[in-house]
mmCIF file with all atom_site columns, all heavy atoms in Angstrom:
data_model
loop_
_atom_site.group_PDB
_atom_site.id
_atom_site.type_symbol
_atom_site.label_atom_id
_atom_site.label_alt_id
_atom_site.label_comp_id
_atom_site.label_asym_id
_atom_site.label_entity_id
_atom_site.label_seq_id
_atom_site.pdbx_PDB_ins_code
_atom_site.Cartn_x
_atom_site.Cartn_y
_atom_site.Cartn_z
_atom_site.occupancy
_atom_site.B_iso_or_equiv
_atom_site.pdbx_formal_charge
_atom_site.auth_seq_id
_atom_site.auth_comp_id
_atom_site.auth_asym_id
_atom_site.auth_atom_id
_atom_site.pdbx_PDB_model_num
ATOM 1   N N   . ARG A 1 4   ? 172.094 -24.128 183.964 1.00 55.00 ? 4   ARG A N   1
ATOM 2   C CA  . ARG A 1 4   ? 172.961 -24.383 182.817 1.00 55.00 ? 4   ARG A CA  1
ATOM 3   C C   . ARG A 1 4   ? 174.261 -25.014 183.287 1.00 55.00 ? 4   ARG A C   1
ATOM 4   O O   . ARG A 1 4   ? 174.849 -24.577 184.260 1.00 55.00 ? 4   ARG A O   1
ATOM 5   C CB  . ARG A 1 4   ? 173.250 -23.065 182.096 1.00 55.00 ? 4   ARG A CB  1
ATOM 6   C CG  . ARG A 1 4   ? 174.133 -23.214 180.889 1.00 55.00 ? 4   ARG A CG  1
ATOM 7   C CD  . ARG A 1 4   ? 174.424 -21.816 180.314 1.00 55.00 ? 4   ARG A CD  1
ATOM 8   N NE  . ARG A 1 4   ? 175.161 -21.891 179.093 1.00 55.00 ? 4   ARG A NE  1
ATOM 9   C CZ  . ARG A 1 4   ? 176.471 -22.092 179.002 1.00 55.00 ? 4   ARG A CZ  1
ATOM 10  N NH1 . ARG A 1 4   ? 177.182 -22.258 180.089 1.00 55.00 ? 4   ARG A NH1 1
ATOM 11  N NH2 . ARG A 1 4   ? 177.060 -22.130 177.833 1.00 55.00 ? 4   ARG A NH2 1
ATOM 12  N N   . ASP A 1 17  ? 176.115 -12.374 170.372 1.00 57.00 ? 17  ASP A N   1
ATOM 13  C CA  . ASP A 1 17  ? 174.834 -11.986 169.799 1.00 57.00 ? 17  ASP A CA  1
ATOM 14  C C   . ASP A 1 17  ? 174.755 -12.592 168.410 1.00 57.00 ? 17  ASP A C   1
ATOM 15  O O   . ASP A 1 17  ? 175.482 -12.187 167.505 1.00 57.00 ? 17  ASP A O   1
ATOM 16  C CB  . ASP A 1 17  ? 174.706 -10.459 169.716 1.00 57.00 ? 17  ASP A CB  1
ATOM 17  C CG  . ASP A 1 17  ? 174.561 -9.837  171.097 1.00 57.00 ? 17  ASP A CG  1
ATOM 18  O OD1 . ASP A 1 17  ? 174.021 -10.527 171.986 1.00 57.00 ? 17  ASP A OD1 1
ATOM 19  O OD2 . ASP A 1 17  ? 174.981 -8.679  171.280 1.00 57.00 ? 17  ASP A OD2 1
ATOM 20  N N   . ALA A 1 33  ? 179.370 -27.103 158.062 1.00 80.00 ? 33  ALA A N   1
ATOM 21  C CA  . ALA A 1 33  ? 180.784 -27.497 158.015 1.00 80.00 ? 33  ALA A CA  1
ATOM 22  C C   . ALA A 1 33  ? 181.453 -27.279 159.368 1.00 80.00 ? 33  ALA A C   1
ATOM 23  O O   . ALA A 1 33  ? 182.238 -28.124 159.824 1.00 80.00 ? 33  ALA A O   1
ATOM 24  C CB  . ALA A 1 33  ? 181.510 -26.713 156.922 1.00 80.00 ? 33  ALA A CB  1
ATOM 25  N N   . LEU A 1 54  ? 152.194 -62.328 157.797 1.00 94.00 ? 54  LEU A N   1
ATOM 26  C CA  . LEU A 1 54  ? 152.678 -62.670 159.135 1.00 94.00 ? 54  LEU A CA  1
ATOM 27  C C   . LEU A 1 54  ? 153.710 -61.667 159.643 1.00 94.00 ? 54  LEU A C   1
ATOM 28  O O   . LEU A 1 54  ? 154.270 -61.846 160.730 1.00 94.00 ? 54  LEU A O   1
ATOM 29  C CB  . LEU A 1 54  ? 153.278 -64.078 159.135 1.00 94.00 ? 54  LEU A CB  1
ATOM 30  C CG  . LEU A 1 54  ? 152.305 -65.209 158.816 1.00 94.00 ? 54  LEU A CG  1
ATOM 31  C CD1 . LEU A 1 54  ? 153.047 -66.539 158.717 1.00 94.00 ? 54  LEU A CD1 1
ATOM 32  C CD2 . LEU A 1 54  ? 151.213 -65.273 159.873 1.00 94.00 ? 54  LEU A CD2 1
ATOM 33  N N   . GLY A 1 55  ? 154.005 -60.643 158.842 1.00 93.00 ? 55  GLY A N   1
ATOM 34  C CA  . GLY A 1 55  ? 154.984 -59.637 159.249 1.00 93.00 ? 55  GLY A CA  1
ATOM 35  C C   . GLY A 1 55  ? 156.422 -60.036 158.993 1.00 93.00 ? 55  GLY A C   1
ATOM 36  O O   . GLY A 1 55  ? 157.341 -59.379 159.474 1.00 93.00 ? 55  GLY A O   1
ATOM 37  N N   . LEU A 1 64  ? 169.594 -46.941 144.739 1.00 94.00 ? 64  LEU A N   1
ATOM 38  C CA  . LEU A 1 64  ? 170.717 -46.894 143.808 1.00 94.00 ? 64  LEU A CA  1
ATOM 39  C C   . LEU A 1 64  ? 170.954 -45.434 143.474 1.00 94.00 ? 64  LEU A C   1
ATOM 40  O O   . LEU A 1 64  ? 170.017 -44.701 143.145 1.00 94.00 ? 64  LEU A O   1
ATOM 41  C CB  . LEU A 1 64  ? 170.395 -47.682 142.540 1.00 94.00 ? 64  LEU A CB  1
ATOM 42  C CG  . LEU A 1 64  ? 171.507 -47.765 141.495 1.00 94.00 ? 64  LEU A CG  1
ATOM 43  C CD1 . LEU A 1 64  ? 172.680 -48.577 142.024 1.00 94.00 ? 64  LEU A CD1 1
ATOM 44  C CD2 . LEU A 1 64  ? 170.966 -48.371 140.210 1.00 94.00 ? 64  LEU A CD2 1
ATOM 45  N N   . THR A 1 68  ? 179.645 -38.973 144.712 1.00 79.00 ? 68  THR A N   1
ATOM 46  C CA  . THR A 1 68  ? 180.272 -37.705 144.305 1.00 79.00 ? 68  THR A CA  1
ATOM 47  C C   . THR A 1 68  ? 181.300 -37.865 143.196 1.00 79.00 ? 68  THR A C   1
ATOM 48  O O   . THR A 1 68  ? 181.577 -36.908 142.481 1.00 79.00 ? 68  THR A O   1
ATOM 49  C CB  . THR A 1 68  ? 180.940 -37.017 145.514 1.00 79.00 ? 68  THR A CB  1
ATOM 50  O OG1 . THR A 1 68  ? 181.861 -37.927 146.114 1.00 79.00 ? 68  THR A OG1 1
ATOM 51  C CG2 . THR A 1 68  ? 179.900 -36.584 146.530 1.00 79.00 ? 68  THR A CG2 1
ATOM 52  N N   . MET A 1 72  ? 178.319 -45.779 140.700 1.00 91.00 ? 72  MET A N   1
ATOM 53  C CA  . MET A 1 72  ? 176.998 -46.239 141.116 1.00 91.00 ? 72  MET A CA  1
ATOM 54  C C   . MET A 1 72  ? 177.149 -47.015 142.425 1.00 91.00 ? 72  MET A C   1
ATOM 55  O O   . MET A 1 72  ? 177.948 -47.954 142.506 1.00 91.00 ? 72  MET A O   1
ATOM 56  C CB  . MET A 1 72  ? 176.367 -47.126 140.047 1.00 91.00 ? 72  MET A CB  1
ATOM 57  C CG  . MET A 1 72  ? 176.163 -46.415 138.718 1.00 91.00 ? 72  MET A CG  1
ATOM 58  S SD  . MET A 1 72  ? 175.192 -44.909 138.856 1.00 91.00 ? 72  MET A SD  1
ATOM 59  C CE  . MET A 1 72  ? 173.581 -45.597 139.055 1.00 91.00 ? 72  MET A CE  1
ATOM 60  N N   . ARG A 1 74  ? 174.946 -48.271 146.292 1.00 95.00 ? 74  ARG A N   1
ATOM 61  C CA  . ARG A 1 74  ? 173.662 -48.483 146.967 1.00 95.00 ? 74  ARG A CA  1
ATOM 62  C C   . ARG A 1 74  ? 173.726 -47.842 148.345 1.00 95.00 ? 74  ARG A C   1
ATOM 63  O O   . ARG A 1 74  ? 174.796 -47.722 148.931 1.00 95.00 ? 74  ARG A O   1
ATOM 64  C CB  . ARG A 1 74  ? 173.367 -49.968 147.110 1.00 95.00 ? 74  ARG A CB  1
ATOM 65  C CG  . ARG A 1 74  ? 173.190 -50.658 145.775 1.00 95.00 ? 74  ARG A CG  1
ATOM 66  C CD  . ARG A 1 74  ? 172.610 -52.046 145.962 1.00 95.00 ? 74  ARG A CD  1
ATOM 67  N NE  . ARG A 1 74  ? 172.586 -52.763 144.706 1.00 95.00 ? 74  ARG A NE  1
ATOM 68  C CZ  . ARG A 1 74  ? 171.657 -52.626 143.777 1.00 95.00 ? 74  ARG A CZ  1
ATOM 69  N NH1 . ARG A 1 74  ? 170.664 -51.780 143.954 1.00 95.00 ? 74  ARG A NH1 1
ATOM 70  N NH2 . ARG A 1 74  ? 171.707 -53.319 142.661 1.00 95.00 ? 74  ARG A NH2 1
ATOM 71  N N   . GLY A 1 79  ? 169.160 -39.438 156.685 1.00 93.00 ? 79  GLY A N   1
ATOM 72  C CA  . GLY A 1 79  ? 169.235 -37.991 156.791 1.00 93.00 ? 79  GLY A CA  1
ATOM 73  C C   . GLY A 1 79  ? 169.328 -37.524 158.232 1.00 93.00 ? 79  GLY A C   1
ATOM 74  O O   . GLY A 1 79  ? 169.085 -38.286 159.177 1.00 93.00 ? 79  GLY A O   1
ATOM 75  N N   . ARG A 1 93  ? 159.932 -37.882 157.292 1.00 96.00 ? 93  ARG A N   1
ATOM 76  C CA  . ARG A 1 93  ? 160.388 -36.890 156.308 1.00 96.00 ? 93  ARG A CA  1
ATOM 77  C C   . ARG A 1 93  ? 161.387 -37.492 155.333 1.00 96.00 ? 93  ARG A C   1
ATOM 78  O O   . ARG A 1 93  ? 161.290 -37.305 154.115 1.00 96.00 ? 93  ARG A O   1
ATOM 79  C CB  . ARG A 1 93  ? 161.002 -35.680 157.039 1.00 96.00 ? 93  ARG A CB  1
ATOM 80  C CG  . ARG A 1 93  ? 161.532 -34.596 156.138 1.00 96.00 ? 93  ARG A CG  1
ATOM 81  C CD  . ARG A 1 93  ? 161.904 -33.352 156.945 1.00 96.00 ? 93  ARG A CD  1
ATOM 82  N NE  . ARG A 1 93  ? 162.863 -33.601 157.995 1.00 96.00 ? 93  ARG A NE  1
ATOM 83  C CZ  . ARG A 1 93  ? 164.187 -33.581 157.824 1.00 96.00 ? 93  ARG A CZ  1
ATOM 84  N NH1 . ARG A 1 93  ? 164.704 -33.366 156.631 1.00 96.00 ? 93  ARG A NH1 1
ATOM 85  N NH2 . ARG A 1 93  ? 165.004 -33.794 158.847 1.00 96.00 ? 93  ARG A NH2 1
ATOM 86  N N   . ALA A 1 103 ? 154.836 -44.081 149.046 1.00 95.00 ? 103 ALA A N   1
ATOM 87  C CA  . ALA A 1 103 ? 155.468 -45.284 149.616 1.00 95.00 ? 103 ALA A CA  1
ATOM 88  C C   . ALA A 1 103 ? 154.655 -45.841 150.787 1.00 95.00 ? 103 ALA A C   1
ATOM 89  O O   . ALA A 1 103 ? 154.699 -47.036 151.045 1.00 95.00 ? 103 ALA A O   1
ATOM 90  C CB  . ALA A 1 103 ? 156.892 -44.980 150.074 1.00 95.00 ? 103 ALA A CB  1
ATOM 91  N N   . PHE A 1 104 ? 153.945 -45.006 151.486 1.00 96.00 ? 104 PHE A N   1
ATOM 92  C CA  . PHE A 1 104 ? 153.124 -45.398 152.635 1.00 96.00 ? 104 PHE A CA  1
ATOM 93  C C   . PHE A 1 104 ? 153.911 -46.241 153.644 1.00 96.00 ? 104 PHE A C   1
ATOM 94  O O   . PHE A 1 104 ? 153.607 -47.415 153.874 1.00 96.00 ? 104 PHE A O   1
ATOM 95  C CB  . PHE A 1 104 ? 151.855 -46.129 152.197 1.00 96.00 ? 104 PHE A CB  1
ATOM 96  C CG  . PHE A 1 104 ? 150.977 -45.310 151.289 1.00 96.00 ? 104 PHE A CG  1
ATOM 97  C CD1 . PHE A 1 104 ? 150.547 -45.835 150.085 1.00 96.00 ? 104 PHE A CD1 1
ATOM 98  C CD2 . PHE A 1 104 ? 150.594 -44.027 151.630 1.00 96.00 ? 104 PHE A CD2 1
ATOM 99  C CE1 . PHE A 1 104 ? 149.738 -45.093 149.236 1.00 96.00 ? 104 PHE A CE1 1
ATOM 100 C CE2 . PHE A 1 104 ? 149.790 -43.267 150.783 1.00 96.00 ? 104 PHE A CE2 1
ATOM 101 C CZ  . PHE A 1 104 ? 149.364 -43.806 149.593 1.00 96.00 ? 104 PHE A CZ  1
ATOM 102 N N   . LEU A 1 107 ? 155.543 -46.639 160.141 1.00 95.00 ? 107 LEU A N   1
ATOM 103 C CA  . LEU A 1 107 ? 156.574 -46.309 161.118 1.00 95.00 ? 107 LEU A CA  1
ATOM 104 C C   . LEU A 1 107 ? 156.449 -47.192 162.345 1.00 95.00 ? 107 LEU A C   1
ATOM 105 O O   . LEU A 1 107 ? 155.342 -47.561 162.748 1.00 95.00 ? 107 LEU A O   1
ATOM 106 C CB  . LEU A 1 107 ? 156.469 -44.844 161.524 1.00 95.00 ? 107 LEU A CB  1
ATOM 107 C CG  . LEU A 1 107 ? 156.730 -43.836 160.415 1.00 95.00 ? 107 LEU A CG  1
ATOM 108 C CD1 . LEU A 1 107 ? 156.667 -42.417 160.964 1.00 95.00 ? 107 LEU A CD1 1
ATOM 109 C CD2 . LEU A 1 107 ? 158.054 -44.064 159.743 1.00 95.00 ? 107 LEU A CD2 1
ATOM 110 N N   . GLU A 1 118 ? 177.726 -45.849 164.403 1.00 96.00 ? 118 GLU A N   1
ATOM 111 C CA  . GLU A 1 118 ? 178.540 -44.659 164.671 1.00 96.00 ? 118 GLU A CA  1
ATOM 112 C C   . GLU A 1 118 ? 179.557 -44.531 163.550 1.00 96.00 ? 118 GLU A C   1
ATOM 113 O O   . GLU A 1 118 ? 180.407 -45.394 163.374 1.00 96.00 ? 118 GLU A O   1
ATOM 114 C CB  . GLU A 1 118 ? 179.224 -44.770 166.023 1.00 96.00 ? 118 GLU A CB  1
ATOM 115 C CG  . GLU A 1 118 ? 179.863 -43.473 166.466 1.00 96.00 ? 118 GLU A CG  1
ATOM 116 C CD  . GLU A 1 118 ? 180.368 -43.513 167.901 1.00 96.00 ? 118 GLU A CD  1
ATOM 117 O OE1 . GLU A 1 118 ? 180.481 -44.609 168.486 1.00 96.00 ? 118 GLU A OE1 1
ATOM 118 O OE2 . GLU A 1 118 ? 180.662 -42.441 168.429 1.00 96.00 ? 118 GLU A OE2 1
ATOM 119 N N   . PRO A 1 123 ? 188.815 -44.402 158.946 1.00 92.00 ? 123 PRO A N   1
ATOM 120 C CA  . PRO A 1 123 ? 188.444 -45.823 158.937 1.00 92.00 ? 123 PRO A CA  1
ATOM 121 C C   . PRO A 1 123 ? 189.104 -46.582 160.077 1.00 92.00 ? 123 PRO A C   1
ATOM 122 O O   . PRO A 1 123 ? 190.126 -46.181 160.611 1.00 92.00 ? 123 PRO A O   1
ATOM 123 C CB  . PRO A 1 123 ? 188.938 -46.312 157.578 1.00 92.00 ? 123 PRO A CB  1
ATOM 124 C CG  . PRO A 1 123 ? 189.848 -45.276 157.052 1.00 92.00 ? 123 PRO A CG  1
ATOM 125 C CD  . PRO A 1 123 ? 189.614 -44.008 157.805 1.00 92.00 ? 123 PRO A CD  1
ATOM 126 N N   . PRO A 1 127 ? 183.006 -50.269 161.880 1.00 93.00 ? 127 PRO A N   1
ATOM 127 C CA  . PRO A 1 127 ? 182.886 -50.674 160.469 1.00 93.00 ? 127 PRO A CA  1
ATOM 128 C C   . PRO A 1 127 ? 182.327 -49.565 159.575 1.00 93.00 ? 127 PRO A C   1
ATOM 129 O O   . PRO A 1 127 ? 182.311 -49.705 158.364 1.00 93.00 ? 127 PRO A O   1
ATOM 130 C CB  . PRO A 1 127 ? 181.900 -51.852 160.509 1.00 93.00 ? 127 PRO A CB  1
ATOM 131 C CG  . PRO A 1 127 ? 181.737 -52.239 161.920 1.00 93.00 ? 127 PRO A CG  1
ATOM 132 C CD  . PRO A 1 127 ? 182.158 -51.080 162.755 1.00 93.00 ? 127 PRO A CD  1
ATOM 133 N N   . PRO A 1 162 ? 165.824 -60.870 151.343 1.00 97.00 ? 162 PRO A N   1
ATOM 134 C CA  . PRO A 1 162 ? 166.733 -60.536 152.451 1.00 97.00 ? 162 PRO A CA  1
ATOM 135 C C   . PRO A 1 162 ? 168.106 -61.185 152.334 1.00 97.00 ? 162 PRO A C   1
ATOM 136 O O   . PRO A 1 162 ? 169.123 -60.549 152.629 1.00 97.00 ? 162 PRO A O   1
ATOM 137 C CB  . PRO A 1 162 ? 165.997 -61.035 153.695 1.00 97.00 ? 162 PRO A CB  1
ATOM 138 C CG  . PRO A 1 162 ? 164.573 -61.107 153.301 1.00 97.00 ? 162 PRO A CG  1
ATOM 139 C CD  . PRO A 1 162 ? 164.550 -61.378 151.830 1.00 97.00 ? 162 PRO A CD  1
ATOM 140 N N   . SER A 1 167 ? 173.979 -60.263 151.317 1.00 96.00 ? 167 SER A N   1
ATOM 141 C CA  . SER A 1 167 ? 175.140 -60.928 150.715 1.00 96.00 ? 167 SER A CA  1
ATOM 142 C C   . SER A 1 167 ? 176.353 -60.009 150.664 1.00 96.00 ? 167 SER A C   1
ATOM 143 O O   . SER A 1 167 ? 176.237 -58.783 150.689 1.00 96.00 ? 167 SER A O   1
ATOM 144 C CB  . SER A 1 167 ? 174.805 -61.415 149.305 1.00 96.00 ? 167 SER A CB  1
ATOM 145 O OG  . SER A 1 167 ? 174.702 -60.308 148.420 1.00 96.00 ? 167 SER A OG  1
ATOM 146 N N   . ASP A 1 172 ? 179.218 -55.015 149.333 1.00 94.00 ? 172 ASP A N   1
ATOM 147 C CA  . ASP A 1 172 ? 180.340 -54.279 148.738 1.00 94.00 ? 172 ASP A CA  1
ATOM 148 C C   . ASP A 1 172 ? 179.878 -53.065 147.934 1.00 94.00 ? 172 ASP A C   1
ATOM 149 O O   . ASP A 1 172 ? 180.650 -52.148 147.700 1.00 94.00 ? 172 ASP A O   1
ATOM 150 C CB  . ASP A 1 172 ? 181.174 -55.204 147.850 1.00 94.00 ? 172 ASP A CB  1
ATOM 151 C CG  . ASP A 1 172 ? 181.972 -56.231 148.649 1.00 94.00 ? 172 ASP A CG  1
ATOM 152 O OD1 . ASP A 1 172 ? 182.124 -56.042 149.882 1.00 94.00 ? 172 ASP A OD1 1
ATOM 153 O OD2 . ASP A 1 172 ? 182.424 -57.222 148.051 1.00 94.00 ? 172 ASP A OD2 1
ATOM 154 N N   . ALA A 1 185 ? 170.458 -54.946 160.793 1.00 96.00 ? 185 ALA A N   1
ATOM 155 C CA  . ALA A 1 185 ? 169.047 -54.574 160.804 1.00 96.00 ? 185 ALA A CA  1
ATOM 156 C C   . ALA A 1 185 ? 168.163 -55.774 160.461 1.00 96.00 ? 185 ALA A C   1
ATOM 157 O O   . ALA A 1 185 ? 167.132 -56.002 161.112 1.00 96.00 ? 185 ALA A O   1
ATOM 158 C CB  . ALA A 1 185 ? 168.808 -53.419 159.831 1.00 96.00 ? 185 ALA A CB  1
ATOM 159 N N   . LEU A 1 186 ? 168.559 -56.548 159.447 1.00 97.00 ? 186 LEU A N   1
ATOM 160 C CA  . LEU A 1 186 ? 167.764 -57.715 159.066 1.00 97.00 ? 186 LEU A CA  1
ATOM 161 C C   . LEU A 1 186 ? 167.783 -58.784 160.175 1.00 97.00 ? 186 LEU A C   1
ATOM 162 O O   . LEU A 1 186 ? 166.765 -59.423 160.437 1.00 97.00 ? 186 LEU A O   1
ATOM 163 C CB  . LEU A 1 186 ? 168.249 -58.298 157.743 1.00 97.00 ? 186 LEU A CB  1
ATOM 164 C CG  . LEU A 1 186 ? 167.935 -57.449 156.508 1.00 97.00 ? 186 LEU A CG  1
ATOM 165 C CD1 . LEU A 1 186 ? 168.608 -58.022 155.276 1.00 97.00 ? 186 LEU A CD1 1
ATOM 166 C CD2 . LEU A 1 186 ? 166.432 -57.324 156.318 1.00 97.00 ? 186 LEU A CD2 1
ATOM 167 N N   . ALA A 1 187 ? 168.920 -58.951 160.824 1.00 96.00 ? 187 ALA A N   1
ATOM 168 C CA  . ALA A 1 187 ? 169.001 -59.916 161.929 1.00 96.00 ? 187 ALA A CA  1
ATOM 169 C C   . ALA A 1 187 ? 168.106 -59.492 163.079 1.00 96.00 ? 187 ALA A C   1
ATOM 170 O O   . ALA A 1 187 ? 167.494 -60.344 163.749 1.00 96.00 ? 187 ALA A O   1
ATOM 171 C CB  . ALA A 1 187 ? 170.444 -60.063 162.398 1.00 96.00 ? 187 ALA A CB  1
ATOM 172 N N   . LEU A 1 192 ? 167.108 -63.114 158.698 1.00 89.00 ? 192 LEU A N   1
ATOM 173 C CA  . LEU A 1 192 ? 168.253 -63.906 158.208 1.00 89.00 ? 192 LEU A CA  1
ATOM 174 C C   . LEU A 1 192 ? 168.245 -65.258 158.887 1.00 89.00 ? 192 LEU A C   1
ATOM 175 O O   . LEU A 1 192 ? 168.051 -65.375 160.090 1.00 89.00 ? 192 LEU A O   1
ATOM 176 C CB  . LEU A 1 192 ? 169.578 -63.177 158.501 1.00 89.00 ? 192 LEU A CB  1
ATOM 177 C CG  . LEU A 1 192 ? 169.762 -61.833 157.809 1.00 89.00 ? 192 LEU A CG  1
ATOM 178 C CD1 . LEU A 1 192 ? 171.120 -61.239 158.166 1.00 89.00 ? 192 LEU A CD1 1
ATOM 179 C CD2 . LEU A 1 192 ? 169.632 -61.975 156.305 1.00 89.00 ? 192 LEU A CD2 1
#
Side-chain angles (χ1 to χ4, degrees):
R4 180 184 185 280
D17 290 331
L54 297 175
L64 182 67
T68 55
M72 299 304 285
R74 296 192 187 279
R93 179 171 57 87
F104 301 128
L107 296 183
E118 191 171 15
S167 72
D172 289 344
L186 289 173
L192 297 181

